[in-house]
Amino acid sequence: MNLANKLTLTRIILVPVFLFFLLTKIKYGIYIAVTIFVVAASTDGLDGYIARSRNQITKFGKLIDPLADKLLISAALIALVEMGKISTWIAVIIIGREFAITGLRVIAASEGKVISASPLGKIKTISQIIAIVSILLNNFPFSLINFPFGTIAMGIAVTFTVLSGIDYFYRNINLIEIKRE
């Protein structure tokens, strides 16, 4: 197993550790959870860079990397809903988009095609990470000046989530058969 795949598996392993510190009443648990989340999220770009730069792209990596990303973001969103920090509809839109794009990628793969990440998809991921971290930290430091950065960041994340989903389907509409009966 190459380094890139090990980083991806580490991201998956960190998900329950992140949730443990986030959802238990351990002193400074939220800060430990945020640190774990940021470390796990940063492995996403790092594993891809390593795989490409060392020419170590594998089928396993192509399969597990996007699943690891979805697991980390989905776990964080579901926990935020449970904690009462975001509305359920936000999590449903973001997670629903991930299911839809995964389905599109499965269709593409069945036809021997690969749908790579788009620039909007990358912006979506970064905006989601920023929004989640901000909300986990109760909008700190922006709460000191009474600026709703976390709320705005989540709005931006939802917007890019929807726009990137539309973009993926628009660019790959030829993969979907739509027959009238």
Side-chain angles (χ1 to χ4, degrees):
M1 180 171 297
N2 64 37
L3 178 59
N5 290 341
K6 287 178 183 176
L7 285 171
T8 301
L9 288 176
T10 299
R11 186 161 63 255
I12 292 170
I13 291 166
L14 287 176
V15 170
V17 179
F18 158 70
L19 289 173
F20 172 79
F21 283 104
L22 182 62
L23 299 174
T24 56
K25 301 294 180 191
I26 295 173
K27 189 173 183 179
Y28 305 115
I30 187 72
Y31 302 108
I32 296 168
V34 168
T35 302
I36 291 167
F37 180 83
V38 169
V39 167
S42 66
T43 66
D44 180 27
L46 184 59
D47 62 8
Y49 172 77
I50 289 170
R52 286 186 300 279
S53 68
R54 296 182 180 182
N55 199 25
Q56 296 179 339
I57 297 171
T58 64
K59 289 180 183 178
F60 176 77
K62 287 180 183 180
L63 170 70
I64 203 72
D65 181 65
L67 294 177
D69 302 340
K70 289 164 183 36
L71 181 61
L72 178 64
I73 296 295
S74 297
L77 292 169
I78 292 166
L80 288 172
V81 169
E82 181 177 333
M83 297 166 72
K85 293 185 177 254
I86 65 169
S87 297
T88 304
W89 68 266
I90 292 171
V92 169
I93 287 173
I94 293 173
I95 295 169
R97 180 257 186 219
E98 299 305 333
F99 276 111
I101 300 306
T102 299
L104 183 62
R105 284 190 165 126
V106 167
I107 292 169
S110 73
E111 296 186 13
K113 298 176 183 172
V114 175
I115 298 175
S116 57
S118 73
L120 275 178
K122 292 178 181 188
I123 293 169
K124 177 252 342 166
T125 300
I126 292 167
S127 66
Q128 288 174 353
I129 292 166
I130 291 168
I132 289 168
V133 169
S134 177
I135 291 170
L136 286 172
L137 292 175
N138 293 316
N139 201 40
F140 184 81
F142 300 98
S143 57
L144 299 174
I145 58 171
N146 204 25
F147 181 73
F149 178 81
T151 302
I152 293 167
M154 189 56 78
I156 290 168
V158 170
T159 300
F160 277 110
T161 296
V162 172
L163 290 176
S164 68
I166 292 168
D167 179 57
Y168 275 107
F169 276 93
Y170 178 76
R171 287 186 301 113
N172 297 285
I173 195 71
N174 59 322
L175 296 172
I176 303 169
E177 282 187 36
I178 303 173
K179 295 181 181 178
R180 292 188 181 183
E181 293 184 33

